[in-house]
Amino acid sequence: MKKVCSLLLFILLLAGTACLPQPAQAAEKKLVAITYDDGPYENTERLLDGLKERGVHATFFLVGKKIPSFEKTVARMYEEGHQVANHSYSHENLTAIPLEEVKKQVQDTNALLDKICGPGTDYMVRPPYGHINEGAAQAVGLPCILWSFTPKDWVYTDADAIKQQIVDGVHEGDIILLHDKKMGTVEGSLAAIDELQAQGYEFVTVRELFRRQGRTAENAKWYTGGSLVKDFPDPGPVQSPQISYTVGQGSLEVSISGPAGVPLYYSADGSPLNQQSRLYTGPFTVTGPCTIRACSAYNMNGSRSETVEEQITQATAFTPVLRLENGLLAMEGVQEGAQIHYTLTGAQDSGGEKLYTGPVAVKPGTVAAAYAAGEGFFPSGTVKLAYSPLGNVFRDVFPTDWYFDSVDKVAAEGIMLGTGEGRFFPADQVTRGQLATFLHRASREASAVPSRDSYPFTDVPEGEYYTEAVAWAYENGIVTGYGDGTFQPDSKVNRQELAAVFVRYLRHKGVVSAQPEDVSGYTDAAFIEEWAVEAVGAMTALELLKGDANGAFRPSAGASRGETAAVLVRMEKYLA
């Protein structure tokens, strides 16, 4: 009989135990979000030290009016991966003040946080005292985070007592409410973290708790924690990326690899990472020395990896400066300890790589290329200089460019000039004032000193480099203006406009245009403006302008300086 009664008692005990509430079980880890309210305080730095030692990220609900006195502390929270959150500006009961004031309490605090964390940062809000209702939540307009457990550290101030309250009372999935005002809470919570970590608990931010539970915190809703999404596989913490680089001439190519599908943020100047940092899209180049920082982040405020850092201490050698005077090529401008290596590959001078020891005699038709290198330096970039057959010095036009001979000729004849430092800027788009100037120079025609009465344009003042040329071109019917009385000398010229101006110039010179070709052969003929069709056809017939490799004329594409130089030279055969 005793055995039967014992068995019945045992069954009843089992049944009773099964009916007791059990802590929810996560799929992988026993996750807990630890939060601290009402700060920042003087004790917060000590707390941050302890959390860093333990690899723990917390959520700090900060009171706005305290932030200006603790900006460095708040910046440290954010930079070390903690979640920075809003606890109103002056700790008001949000259910007891007007809704407009609720909005102001939240917005003023967000504005202070943005100055530290960067514009666009995403914040959560904890209503002071946990007081919230539907109206206040709508006014807040952000996720409102309450709590599911607190050790009542305003009652228990002794560190050991607070520690034991946490250890005995916490359950998986809890959001723990603490205050870092008193050192008892700081020391007690750190001690509790040590013991609970040993039991398999992982302390995370509120944002990470939600992500790893498969939940989304919605705006104007409030949450208490303490519940988990069943059968949701914990994806685990955000893994840090890896930084690598390869050495090239003049730069280092940096690659960052991280967990699949997670955005990677980085800086190449050692600056702290935030929402405004660069988003990694592929390899980029840097020069040494520099510090590269990177992290993986679903959200930069509370759901990111630890920041990794790559310090490149070795310097990149300065790129040499090449100067050509009286046929002597000098190379200079590198650091002590770096040496200049150069080659001469032009028509008169050639040979392999040489070490620079002093000025080198060169002849027209030479292209020099140089870089700097040396022990303790990454190699510099290569700089080139062309000493053209007609005696021009170019730093951005070389014999391999299809327009090289044309640019050389118009530069030698003074029709098109660069900056005087060897920069011709062949890819730059020609302006209306420049085009009139080029044609005026090419015409070799003298013109009277223009006065404001010799042209109608309100935006062509006297004394500009293009003034005389525009007046000449207008007098000879080569250029026109706009209906509002302007010429717009700085406006860019496109290809169909270039065609129209050149055709008018040829007619001014007495050249009878060839019968215009039918432009329908161009694949984009439909995009040529009606007023430009004849001019494009004439320039095509004269072989002064052509289509691209795909058969398109590209009427709206910019007319480049290199292309304009080529047209000027091609045109000369009709003016001989």
Side-chain angles (χ1 to χ4, degrees), residues 427-477:
D428 280 9
Q429 193 171 343
V430 171
T431 67
R432 286 168 57 81
Q434 289 171 348
L435 183 56
T437 302
F438 301 154
L439 290 172
H440 187 217
R441 291 172 182 162
S443 74
R444 309 299 182 192
E445 296 178 12
S447 61
V449 177
S451 67
R452 291 296 290 111
D453 297 330
S454 61
Y455 55 87
F457 308 125
T458 59
D459 58 347
V460 178
E462 295 180 10
E464 295 292 338
Y465 79 88
Y466 51 74
T467 303
E468 183 178 349
V470 170
W472 164 84
Y474 174 73
E475 290 171 358
N476 290 289

Side-chain angles (χ1 to χ4, degrees), residues 213-555:
Q213 291 177 347
R215 296 196 295 166
T216 301
E218 299 180 22
N219 291 339
K221 302 287 186 183
W222 60 87
Y223 303 88
T224 59
S227 61
L228 301 179
V229 176
K230 293 182 179 179
D231 301 324
F232 181 79
D234 179 6
V238 187
Q239 298 299 312
S240 297
Q242 293 182 318
I243 302 171
S244 61
Y245 65 90
T246 57
V247 180
Q249 272 210 346
S251 63
L252 312 174
E253 184 174 87
V254 179
S255 296
I256 304 174
S257 59
V262 185
L264 305 177
Y265 292 83
Y266 75 95
S267 67
D269 58 1
S271 59
L273 302 178
N274 62 27
Q275 192 70 31
Q276 303 301 312
S277 297
R278 294 179 180 180
L279 192 63
Y280 180 75
T281 57
F284 57 93
T285 58
V286 298
T287 57
C290 67
T291 299
I292 302 160
R293 287 180 157 190
C295 73
S296 313
Y298 290 102
N299 187 300
M300 287 294 286
N301 186 20
S303 185
R304 61 171 164 169
S305 73
E306 299 293 342
T307 297
V308 294
E309 187 175 286
E310 181 73 35
Q311 290 189 340
I312 299 172
T313 57
Q314 185 167 305
T316 300
F318 296 156
T319 302
V321 176
L322 307 186
R323 290 188 298 103
L324 181 63
E325 294 180 6
N326 301 319
L328 286 178
L329 178 64
M331 308 179 194
E332 55 195 25
V334 300
Q335 305 102 311
E336 184 177 353
Q339 296 178 306
I340 299 173
H341 303 257
Y342 72 95
T343 59
L344 302 174
T345 58
Q348 284 79 22
D349 299 281
S350 62
E353 185 174 282
K354 301 174 184 178
L355 191 64
Y356 180 75
T357 56
V360 181
V362 293
K363 300 175 182 178
T366 298
V367 176
Y371 70 93
E375 186 175 351
F377 294 99
F378 295 120
S380 76
T382 297
V383 63
K384 295 171 66 179
L385 180 145
Y387 187 19
S388 80
L390 297 181
N392 292 302
V393 174
F394 294 121
R395 300 179 188 276
D396 56 0
V397 181
F398 301 100
T400 52
D401 297 320
W402 65 269
Y403 45 72
F404 178 78
D405 291 337
S406 296
V407 169
D408 194 20
K409 192 170 192 302
V410 297
E413 294 176 356
I415 296 172
M416 294 181 70
L417 307 175
T419 62
E421 301 172 348
R423 301 288 180 186
F424 187 81
F425 301 102
D428 280 9
Q429 193 171 343
V430 171
T431 67
R432 286 168 57 81
Q434 289 171 348
L435 183 56
T437 302
F438 301 154
L439 290 172
H440 187 217
R441 291 172 182 162
S443 74
R444 309 299 182 192
E445 296 178 12
S447 61
V449 177
S451 67
R452 291 296 290 111
D453 297 330
S454 61
Y455 55 87
F457 308 125
T458 59
D459 58 347
V460 178
E462 295 180 10
E464 295 292 338
Y465 79 88
Y466 51 74
T467 303
E468 183 178 349
V470 170
W472 164 84
Y474 174 73
E475 290 171 358
N476 290 289
I478 298 167
V479 300
T480 60
Y482 294 89
D484 61 357
T486 63
F487 180 72
Q488 299 180 20
D490 296 324
S491 292
K492 307 292 187 181
V493 176
N494 62 34
R495 282 170 53 84
Q496 63 185 352
E497 291 169 336
L498 188 76
V501 173
F502 266 101
V503 165
R504 294 189 201 118
Y505 175 79
L506 287 168
R507 287 174 180 162
H508 162 68
K509 284 296 191 177
V511 175
V512 178
S513 299
Q515 183 65 32
E517 284 193 10
D518 184 356
V519 299
S520 63
Y522 289 119
T523 58
D524 56 354
F527 297 98
I528 300 173
E529 299 284 348
E530 185 176 350
W531 57 264
V533 168
E534 183 180 351
V536 171
M539 292 291 280
T540 302
L542 294 169
E543 296 184 340
L544 296 179
L545 275 175
K546 306 171 185 177
D548 63 17
N550 297 316
F553 182 75
R554 298 180 299 115

